[in-house]
Amino acid sequence: MADFIRVDPTSKVPPYEQIRTTVAMAAAAGELPVGYRLPTVRALAGRLSVAVNTVARAYRELEQAGVVETRGRSGTFIAAAGDDQRAEALTAARAYAEVISRVGLDHDEAVEILRAALGSVQPQG
């Protein structure tokens, strides 16, 4: 079962965001192939010792982003749609991470800079 998904209870990042980020990055990197079935919300919540709603929120946000698709009672799967976009985003994220490391900023500040930049960009669509 998705042992790569972990939650750090001491992190300032909310648990649902830790789950969402882990799954999104693994999917973008190809570590989770298209069609991979994720654990059920209840099973993952139990394994991570978090509330069911925490995992449900992460899955819901992943679905809205096109990373996963829910197939009713069959479960939640890594989606095929958006692979190219996720790959491009992963490349950009890695480049940003290298810059952050090179200039010596801490991760929290790097995330705040990214949030501010995302807030200043007009969504395309």
Side-chain angles (χ1 to χ4, degrees), residues 65-106:
V67 176
V68 301
E69 60 187 13
T70 301
R71 302 178 191 160
R73 292 182 179 260
S74 296
T76 303
F77 299 84
I78 299 298
D83 282 345
D84 292 339
Q85 293 89 344
R86 283 195 299 278
E88 183 179 352
L90 178 61
T91 299
R94 285 183 175 149
Y96 179 63
E98 288 175 11
V99 170
I100 293 305
S101 177
R102 185 171 31 85
V103 300
L105 294 178
D106 68 42

Side-chain angles (χ1 to χ4, degrees), residues 28-90:
E31 295 166 10
L32 293 179
V34 171
Y36 177 88
R37 184 172 187 236
L38 292 170
T40 66
V41 169
R42 287 189 188 281
L44 186 56
R47 188 176 69 73
L48 297 176
S49 299
V50 297
V52 171
N53 286 340
T54 299
V55 177
R57 179 173 179 183
Y59 279 18
R60 188 170 48 254
E61 290 191 11
L62 287 163
E63 187 167 27
Q64 289 170 348
V67 176
V68 301
E69 60 187 13
T70 301
R71 302 178 191 160
R73 292 182 179 260
S74 296
T76 303
F77 299 84
I78 299 298
D83 282 345
D84 292 339
Q85 293 89 344
R86 283 195 299 278
E88 183 179 352
L90 178 61

